[in-house]
Amino acid sequence: MAKLTVKDLDLKGKKVLVRVDFNVPLQDGVITNDNRITAALPTIKYISEQGGRAILFSHLGRVKEEADKAGKSLAPVAKNLSRKLDKEVVFVPETRGVKLEAAIHSLNDGDVLLVENTRFEDVNGKKESKNDPELGKYWASLGDDIFVNDAFGTAHRAHASNVGISANVSKAAAGFLLENEINYIQEAVDKPVRPFVAILGGSKVSDKIGVIENLLKKADKVIIGGGMTYTFYKAQGIEIGDSLVEEDKLKIAKDLLEKAGSKLILPIDSKEANSFAEYTEMKDTQTEAVDKGFLGLDIGPKSISKFAGEIKGAKTVVWNGPMGVFENPDFQAGTIGVMDAIIAQPEVKSIIGGGDSAAAAINLGRADKFSWISTGGGASMELLEGKTLPGLQALTEK
Ligand code: AMP
């Protein structure tokens, strides 16, 4: 990695500013999934073990006005983190001011402090989200001139708590999570061990045009499944029944098919049903065409075999987007089939690009079989599109 990492820093006795991603789902003050807290532990533990005084910043949800602050405090996160670290986490329910400054002043080597939700600063003029120069400078002034960014999930945004702080310290470094995310995803795209197969699914072509275009340049094969399939089918004049389609993307789909030639691989059959939720009939289509009055809701068995054949021998696989409506057991077979084909490859570097595919791998019990599951849907999509992430760019070169 070309940027400084936390291992390059002298941390002992230093007030270390750290941006983490604690944007966890909360229901009535209870954290319903704490994977993001777990993912930040190695960096926090390392700083603490090295004798640094970790001052943690994170956002939680969106805060536009005073009323939005309700239920968005990081207080429950501090408790959860304290349990995980098995040590006290000083929580300061402020984002600036004397209380926060005094609490930081009282820290000892190895201590951990969590600042209140950075987006509370958005109430008066979106200071956090618009990277207000005064705010970045103020937060930077709370530490000893060093900053660690470990929040991959927000690295595609230029906010005061990542880019703003970085601009006001001498050394801004990547934490372990950010470093891993970049190494796995960027290396897979830019320096893949070949054959490199990209698999893209999910509902909409419009969300993934940039990713498809970039991966067509980089990968040896680009496999498409999920709801996106039917826009590509319709662009070729294939009957799609009532399947999901984006009429305004038919031209782009046609252009992509022409440009890509045999590199772009589409399903050859579907599992179709006569309604999305209240279906009374369900069958395999046998050919590409979906029957009138039916919707394609998963790839069919022939496509699963075809895709498994295309994945065979792959040394790098990047997968983003389920092959069907995987939330419903009737339409999970495609996503499971593709996952099993990926993980069956010996020596494969298998990467899941966040979002719904990560949820599918976790819910369908295959998460531990992949080399890397990204923690940031939006940020990983931007990396796959070949874009530069502002949060990463702002870090100090080695
Ligand atoms: P995305 O957020 O674009 O990755 O899309 C994920 C969603 O796409 C999941 O909720 C799936 O249920 C949905 N999906 C996948 N295949 C289909 C399909 N054939 N028709 C409708 N929705 C689909």
Side-chain angles (χ1 to χ4, degrees), residues 200-205 207-208 225-230 242-245 270-271 276 295-299 320-328 331 335 354-357 381:
L200 301 170
S203 52
K204 289 185 182 164
V205 182
D207 292 343
K208 299 208 171 130
M228 285 201 286
T229 306
Y230 306 100
D242 298 330
S243 306
L244 196 69
V245 65
S270 292
K271 181 163 250 194
F276 185 87
L295 311 85
L297 295 175
D298 193 7
I299 58 172
N320 186 298
M323 295 291 104
V325 183
F326 75 98
E327 298 90 338
N328 179 341
F331 308 110
T335 302
D356 269 317
S357 4
M381 288 290 281

Side-chain angles (χ1 to χ4, degrees), residues 156-190:
H156 59 312
R157 307 268 181 248
H159 289 173
S161 62
N162 58 357
V163 172
I165 299 179
S166 296
N168 288 285
V169 295
S170 308
K171 286 185 178 172
F176 296 121
L177 175 65
L178 182 65
E179 186 188 8
N180 268 327
E181 292 272 13
I182 300 298
N183 283 348
Y184 273 103
I185 304 174
Q186 210 157 42
E187 265 175 36
V189 176
D190 292 335

Side-chain angles (χ1 to χ4, degrees), residues 4-76:
L4 288 185
T5 74
V6 63
K7 287 221 158 167
D8 297 314
L9 303 177
D10 178 14
L11 301 163
K12 176 121 189 72
K14 299 272 174 60
K15 287 176 274 174
V16 189
L17 306 168
V18 191
R19 178 58 158 98
V20 284
D21 181 3
F22 287 162
N23 184 28
V24 291
L26 274 171
Q27 242 166 33
D28 304 321
V30 178
I31 300 169
T32 53
N33 179 336
D34 62 2
N35 286 345
R36 284 187 164 150
I37 304 176
T38 307
L41 290 177
T43 297
I44 301 170
K45 277 187 184 161
Y46 178 78
I47 294 170
S48 176
E49 281 160 14
Q50 297 291 310
R53 306 166 183 200
I55 301 156
L56 311 179
F57 294 84
S58 175
H59 76 286
L60 177 66
R62 290 214 173 129
V63 183
K64 285 191 188 140
E65 48 195 67
E66 201 59 40
D68 295 336
K69 287 184 178 177
K72 305 257 174 62
S73 169
L74 284 173

